[in-house]
Structures are given as C-alpha cells and as structure tokens.
Amino acid sequence: MMKTNDPRIMHDILMALGYMSEEFAPEIQINYGNIMLEFIIACLQYPALKVQYKAIQCLQNFEKGLMEHREVTVMEKYLPQIMQ
C-alpha cells in the first residue's frame, strides 16, 4: 500500500503510522524506521497539501516517540532529505 499515488490512501497510511509511532515507540521506529521515514519523506514532496501536512504531523509523532526514549539516531541519515 505504501507504493500508491492515491492521496487518500497516503493520508490514511500517514495517520496510521503517526498513531503507531506514539503507541509502539521506540520499537517501531528502531525496527521499521527506515521504511517509515522513506514513505514520510516521499509524502512531504507530494503535490497535495493535505498529504504534506499529514506527513509533517506523522514526522512529529515519529520523532516524539524517539525523543522520549532517547533513540534519536534513527533519523540522522534522513535529516538532509527532511530539511529540503
């Protein structure tokens, strides 16, 4: 499902990833962080603003779960792409 271009599906996936990032932190970020961050970064560049906004919220939830558990290193290699 993460390879879709349908903005509604992308929005819903981001919503689910955001919830899972809060509930299952830091395990989900550590074990599946690469897959999640690649999808979130792709959504940050999607033309629909609704998808971009949800990607930002999802990224905040992803990062919040890591900060609470002091596992921030998961995001380090993705920071240049996120900051674009």
Side-chain angles (χ1 to χ4, degrees):
M1 295 300 290
M2 292 177 125
K3 296 188 189 280
T4 185
N5 283 328
D6 185 328
R8 292 182 187 129
I9 294 173
M10 293 171 81
H11 181 272
D12 291 343
I13 291 171
L14 289 165
M15 203 166 185
L17 290 177
Y19 287 130
M20 289 189 297
S21 292
E22 287 183 35
E23 294 296 320
F24 303 114
E27 291 85 9
I28 195 165
Q29 288 96 329
I30 293 168
N31 295 326
Y32 303 102
N34 292 334
I35 296 167
M36 294 171 70
L37 285 171
E38 288 172 10
F39 181 75
I40 295 168
I41 290 168
C43 291
L44 286 171
Q45 299 168 356
Y46 194 77
L49 289 178
K50 183 177 180 180
V51 173
Q52 290 177 13
Y53 293 146
K54 188 51 75 176
I56 291 168
Q57 290 174 337
C58 184
L59 191 58
Q60 288 174 333
N61 291 347
F62 185 94
E63 178 270 334
K64 181 180 176 185
L66 291 173
M67 291 297 289
E68 290 175 357
H69 298 284
R70 309 267 190 243
E71 296 288 344
V72 184
T73 58
V74 174
M75 291 183 66
E76 284 180 355
K77 70 179 182 180
Y78 294 98
L79 287 177
Q81 292 173 330
I82 292 170
M83 299 307 289
Q84 284 182 341

